[in-house]
Amino acid sequence: MDEIIYDTGGGEGDLQNHRIQELKSQLTDLQMKNDLLTKEINQLKRENSQLKRPPLFVASVIEVLADGEVYLRQQGNNQEYITHTLDEIYRELRPGQKVAVNNSLSIVRTIGTTFDARVRVMELEESPDVTFDKIGGLREEIEEVREAVEYPLTRPHIFTRLGVEPPKGILLFGPPGTGKTLIAKAVAHQAHASFIRMSGSELVHKFIGEGAQMVRELFALARQKAPSIVFIDEIDAIGSMRTHDGTSGSAEVQRTLMQLLAEMDGFDNRGDVRIMAATNRVDMLDPALLRPGRFDRIVEIPLPDAESRLEIFKIHAAPLKTDGVVLEDMVRLTENSTGAEIQAICREAGMIAVRNEAKAVTGDDFLRAIRKVKHLTASEDRMFL
Ligand code: ATP
């Protein structure tokens, strides 16, 4: 039998070394775990202090006053107050700016930019791609608008030379869908001006408590983007006599209107911001809006007559591949129709042909489209065919 010989001296040393190595690696492990736990504790401490901190409120700046003072309106409850703020925040503030305020109503920081607030309600096109040849009829009306809006922007020297003051604002009125917005866009295109549209009814219904401020922002944006055309659609929503009945909602609408009048009064007739508005109900407008120096040129945009309807049909049927369609017949069948309805008829006729997988759009497709768009009754329908 072989005898096993242990090297007790050297062997013990190896064991100890081994043990030390083991303990060292355990220590490193524990140190790593300790680091992780310390990080976790710090994170939890941060979250804890965050939870203990009271939430901040959002307010918007109504006016930046002198000596570090700011006039604010809190969102939600519409409470208005004046607060004093630190110099570095004060320098950044503009009317319309959103800010975060703490419990003691001091501004903690600003939120976003003023431009963010504006784009929520305004449509801005740097130079719309609508040209006059895309508008059927309305020649005299277009000329009147060009004189009042486009020429002061493109030929200001003629006005100066002759000492003529162009109208301050121009109001288009007529039934919906007759091309009021279209004209405003085409004029902006022609004058290489930015087109800024704001809807009066959206302003009143979506931006309760912010109407006057939005009007201020609209004009600030118009100055920034000049030369520009401001187009206020459905102006009757803010400028109608009927809405001013003494309720709190009407007080808000009244404030919005006052702001609009103040902005218009502060404008130079010959400046490079032109103001247009549109309504379906000119008779309902507050006379304050129609005084000289405000909307002092009023142009009616009527329903298109037969000749204009033919032009509108030609414009909207042009991209369609048609077969034997006599547009003059369609003109006879669309008395009292608006340009928007004629556009819808052409689109619908095209869709019917697509559904039938036809080679071209036919007169019959147009007839069906007229019936659908004009919601004809059975008896009207018989007369019609
Ligand atoms: P609203 O009062 O509802 O705002 P509006 O008078 O401003 O209506 P637009 O938005 O200009 O009407 O017209 C809607 C669409 O109808 C236009 O985009 C255009 O396609 C078509 N349209 C209206 N009038 C004409 C026209 N005279 N020539 C060509 N297209 C027209």
Side-chain angles (χ1 to χ4, degrees), residues 134-136 138 175-182 233 280 312 316 339-340 343:
K134 292 280 180 298
I135 307 178
L138 300 175
T178 43
K180 297 182 286 297
T181 314
L182 212 55
D233 208 355
N280 307 328
I312 302 175
H316 293 290
Q343 182 199 25

Side-chain angles (χ1 to χ4, degrees), residues 134-138 174-183 197 231 233-234 278-280 301 304 308 311-313 315-316 338-344 347:
K134 292 280 180 298
I135 307 178
L138 300 175
T178 43
K180 297 182 286 297
T181 314
L182 212 55
I183 295 181
R197 177 183 169 274
F231 182 71
D233 208 355
E234 299 178 79
T279 179
N280 307 328
I301 308 296
S308 306
E311 287 182 20
I312 302 175
F313 263 115
I315 290 166
H316 293 290
T338 62
E341 282 174 321
I342 296 175
Q343 182 199 25
R347 195 187 315 121

